[in-house]
Amino acid sequence: MKPRLLPIFVLLLTGCTALQAQVEFRVIGAAQRIDKIMESDFYIAEIQDERNFTANLGIVNRGADCDIKRPLIAESEFFSNLKSRMNGWLMHDAEAVPVVLRVKQLYLWEDLRRELEDGEGYIRLHLLFDAPGKPTQEVAVTLSGDQLTVAKGHSPRMEDAFFRCLQYYQERWENQDFREMSQTEAWASDSRGLQTASNFLDLKQGRTNAFPGKLKRLMGRLERYRLRNRDQHERHNFYALKDGNELFIRGNAYPGGAHYYTRVLEKGRYLFLVDRVHFPIKSTFVDAGIPSGKTVGILIDMQTGMPQIVTDELIAEVLKPYPDLKKQYLFQNILDYPVQLDRVRKVIAEVNSRS
């Protein structure tokens, strides 16, 4: 089996009335923590956003079971403010060379449970530096594990990633050690958070990585699977696995459990799967009228990475661009009557074929 480890994480929820709490998001801007200065012969003239994934800057997991997932949204003038901050770290004269900074990838993921003080975080930043008369330089930074803690906040950690990239580029400039584009350098660790987030991005970009393992179906009607090797299962926390043409999403990537993968029933713009969800007593989902223990449909929007519980309102939103399907497929009280999920699957398959 050659499972496919996939990107994204994202990962986030929509604007349906029944789940209004899910649409909350965190706005992230430039921090003001780093006060170091580097002498340089260049400055950042422009920052160009060339990311393939621009729906958000990542996902924040909250709640006792990480059942609350919120997107990180960049504030207005986010990159302009970053450019000012980066130039504030450079001491240069009037003859300094203008450098164009191209952002190829920027993604933040974090997992904070109530019992953890610091939680687990992950940042991936991939930049290209273009200077006149010099080869384009590629610098990639991955921060996770001991290199950052959730308690420090989103903005300072993202600022730190940009500072490290700039520092690394300055060292190359100073030593005239310019390298070929194929040589990407990164700081990395093997934290579970890194695996979860980077696998979502891999999924988003269609990357395939070989992973030795076998999936075993768990007992019961639900499409739940786990790695046959228990030690291997506990050691890895992949966002998704692929076995042949079948795709499997880790339960805690949406409001499911942490110890299994659920088979995706429909793939495309939307991933559709069915699972029984369990929430803590004080969960936002319970407050929104979704009792724990319900079998529900899960929709993951691959444009945003956001997992959403299927409700009448959500389906109506998905079908807005397709009035013919809206007339053909009528839904009422999906949460109370999950037998309708078979029809939900059919309409999602049709929407995916048109996307």
Side-chain angles (χ1 to χ4, degrees):
M1 178 181 75
K2 291 187 177 180
R4 186 178 182 179
L5 305 183
L6 324 144
I8 68 154
F9 49 228
V10 29
L11 304 164
L12 313 160
L13 308 169
T14 64
C16 56
T17 303
L19 295 178
Q20 188 172 0
Q22 297 184 57
V23 304
E24 296 179 11
F25 56 86
R26 301 290 178 86
V27 177
I28 183 169
Q32 303 287 329
R33 301 287 183 86
I34 295 176
D35 56 7
K36 298 178 182 179
I37 302 294
M38 296 177 280
E39 292 188 4
S40 71
D41 295 325
F42 67 90
Y43 67 95
I44 306 300
E46 181 183 0
I47 296 182
Q48 298 177 356
D49 184 8
E50 298 181 356
R51 295 172 296 152
N52 291 326
F53 183 80
T54 59
N56 53 63
L57 294 176
I59 300 299
V60 179
N61 297 307
R62 286 290 187 270
D65 250 352
C66 288
D67 58 331
I68 304 172
K69 301 180 186 292
R70 297 188 178 119
L72 288 173
I73 307 298
E75 68 178 5
S76 60
E77 306 300 323
F78 176 75
F79 287 109
S80 295
N81 292 335
L82 269 175
K83 186 183 77 170
S84 298
R85 290 294 296 149
M86 296 182 79
N87 283 322
W89 303 327
L90 300 173
M91 185 171 64
H92 56 84
D93 57 29
E95 303 299 320
V97 177
V99 172
V100 174
L101 181 63
R102 295 153 54 196
V103 182
K104 304 302 291 185
Q105 191 175 87
L106 171 58
Y107 191 79
L108 183 148
W109 175 92
E110 75 173 34
D111 177 358
L112 181 61
R113 299 176 185 237
R114 291 175 186 171
E115 66 269 20
L116 297 179
E117 292 184 2
D118 293 331
E120 205 171 22
Y122 164 95
I123 294 175
R124 178 190 286 181
L125 177 61
H126 182 184
L127 304 176
L128 299 182
F129 291 80
D130 286 331
K134 298 185 182 297
T136 296
Q137 291 299 288
E138 181 180 32
V139 179
V141 169
T142 300
L143 302 179
S144 63
D146 295 338
Q147 295 168 315
L148 55 84
T149 57
V150 171
K152 292 182 179 178
H154 316 307
S155 298
R157 291 182 285 120
M158 193 168 288
E159 183 187 57
D160 183 40
F162 275 91
F163 179 78
R164 292 191 187 216
C165 281
L166 187 63
Q167 190 177 43
Y168 213 40
Y169 180 67
Q170 160 64 15
E171 291 174 1
R172 293 189 192 177
W173 186 289
E174 198 172 75
N175 298 322
Q176 292 298 298
D177 182 22
F178 294 104
R179 307 174 186 183
E180 296 298 325
M181 279 281 292
S182 60
Q183 296 182 2
T184 302
E185 305 200 21
W187 287 269
S189 79
D190 294 326
S191 77
R192 287 179 301 162
L194 184 153
Q195 292 174 352
T196 301
S198 63
N199 295 163
F200 170 74
L201 292 178
D202 291 338
L203 173 60
K204 182 69 180 177
Q205 296 173 8
R207 292 179 181 169
T208 301
N209 297 301
F211 178 75
K214 295 290 184 181
L215 288 172
K216 175 183 179 181
R217 184 165 182 172
L218 300 179
M219 295 181 64
R221 291 185 173 182
L222 298 172
E223 293 280 353
R224 293 177 175 177
Y225 297 76
R226 67 177 302 149
L227 294 171
R228 287 185 181 275
N229 185 316
R230 182 176 293 273
D231 292 338
Q232 194 176 54
H233 184 90
E234 297 302 326
R235 187 166 62 251
H236 297 290
N237 186 22
F238 298 117
Y239 176 79
L241 296 176
K242 189 172 184 185
D243 185 0
N245 291 323
E246 298 288 353
L247 182 64
F248 303 84
I249 303 295
R250 178 89 172 187
N252 61 357
Y254 59 90
H259 304 300
Y260 59 84
Y261 295 87
T262 302
R263 186 168 73 92
V264 175
L265 303 177
E266 296 298 334
K267 301 185 289 290
R269 157 70 191 275
Y270 297 100
L271 304 183
F272 175 71
L273 50 99
V274 174
D275 194 15
R276 184 180 299 116
V277 291
H278 294 275
F279 309 119
I281 296 176
K282 296 183 179 180
S283 169
T284 304
F285 291 91
V286 175
D287 293 340
I290 303 177
S292 184
K294 273 279 188 181
T295 296
V296 300
I298 303 291
L299 208 62
I300 300 178
D301 186 345
M302 290 306 294
Q303 286 191 6
T304 65
M306 194 67 185
Q308 305 156 80
I309 292 178
V310 172
T311 63
D312 298 12
E313 293 81 7
L314 175 59
I315 293 301
E317 186 69 24
V318 170
L319 295 182
K320 266 186 180 179
Y322 311 101
D324 60 319
L325 293 180
K326 195 170 184 179
K327 292 179 181 178
Q328 181 180 350
Y329 292 92
L330 301 177
F331 299 96
Q332 187 173 11
N333 301 327
I334 297 175
L335 288 175
D336 295 328
Y337 302 101
V339 69
Q340 299 174 86
L341 292 177
D342 286 339
R343 286 193 291 123
V344 171
R345 176 179 179 177
K346 291 179 181 179
V347 76
I348 294 303
E350 183 65 29
V351 170
N352 283 341
S353 70
R354 300 186 186 188
S355 300

